[in-house]
Amino acid sequence: MDYDAGTALIVVDVQNDFADPKGNLRVPGGEEVVPVVNREIDRALSAGALVAYTQDWHPPDTPHFEKDGGIWPVHCVKETWGAELHPDLKVAGEIVRKGTQGEDGYSGFTVRDPESGNEEITRLESILRARGIEKVVVTGLATDYCVKGTAIDAAQKGFSTVVLTEGIRAVNREPGDDERALEEVRRAGAVIE
Ligand code: VGL
Ligand code: ZN
């Protein structure tokens, strides 16, 4: 991957509940992305690129969770161990939290109220625009949800968008969700590397 001052590496949801084998919504192989992502963070920083992080950050009760009508086990509840970024992850940039008001926060750029369908934007785009970012590299967890949502939004917002597959892993609720997700991302105009 090539980085420069006009590029941002977006590290998606590398949090204990996804990336630790003891996490509540363990993504198979999630722990394997941590060293890969750290290496990319180093490479990005040495080239003067921006690094930004997203963090799934849910209230204890939200229609995002199965117990409240959604589809997910309880995960990434704000201020709990599961919501913390993985302890081995290098943090060298702003962290954008999503889902904080009980929305589905699949994209780092937008959150969506699961009941009304209303969408709102997060701080991520303004952080990138303020730095004159034109290209984004998306990596992290999970391929079929937050990586997909973030990459599609980035491409639609006009950023030249690359997904770094070495640093992603999928939930795969249904077999093949990972491939279908990457196909959607490709169709939105992003490059898969
Ligand atoms: C995510 C499922 C539920 C993700 C977040 O970060 O991909 N997946 N919430
Ligand atoms: Zn979530």
Side-chain angles (χ1 to χ4, degrees), residues 14 47 166 182 187:
V14 181
E166 200 188 346
L182 291 179
R187 254 185 278 127

Side-chain angles (χ1 to χ4, degrees), residues 13 18 25 56-58 64-65 72-73 75-76 98-99 103-106 146:
D13 296 4
F18 302 123
L25 182 39
D56 215 30
W57 194 257
H58 296 299
H64 184 66
F65 294 157
W72 300 109
H75 64 276
C76 298
K98 57 194 175 57
E103 317 91 322
D104 284 330
Y106 292 131
C146 292

Side-chain angles (χ1 to χ4, degrees), residues 88-129:
D88 298 336
L89 182 71
K90 292 191 184 177
V91 181
E94 285 209 59
I95 301 169
V96 175
R97 290 179 173 162
K98 57 194 175 57
T100 56
Q101 305 302 317
E103 317 91 322
D104 284 330
Y106 292 131
S107 162
F109 291 96
T110 48
V111 292
R112 185 184 158 280
D113 187 307
E115 281 158 348
S116 69
N118 286 344
E119 286 200 356
E120 279 182 48
I121 58 167
T122 68
R123 293 160 48 235
L124 184 56
E125 184 173 5
S126 57
I127 291 170
L128 304 182
R129 300 285 182 208

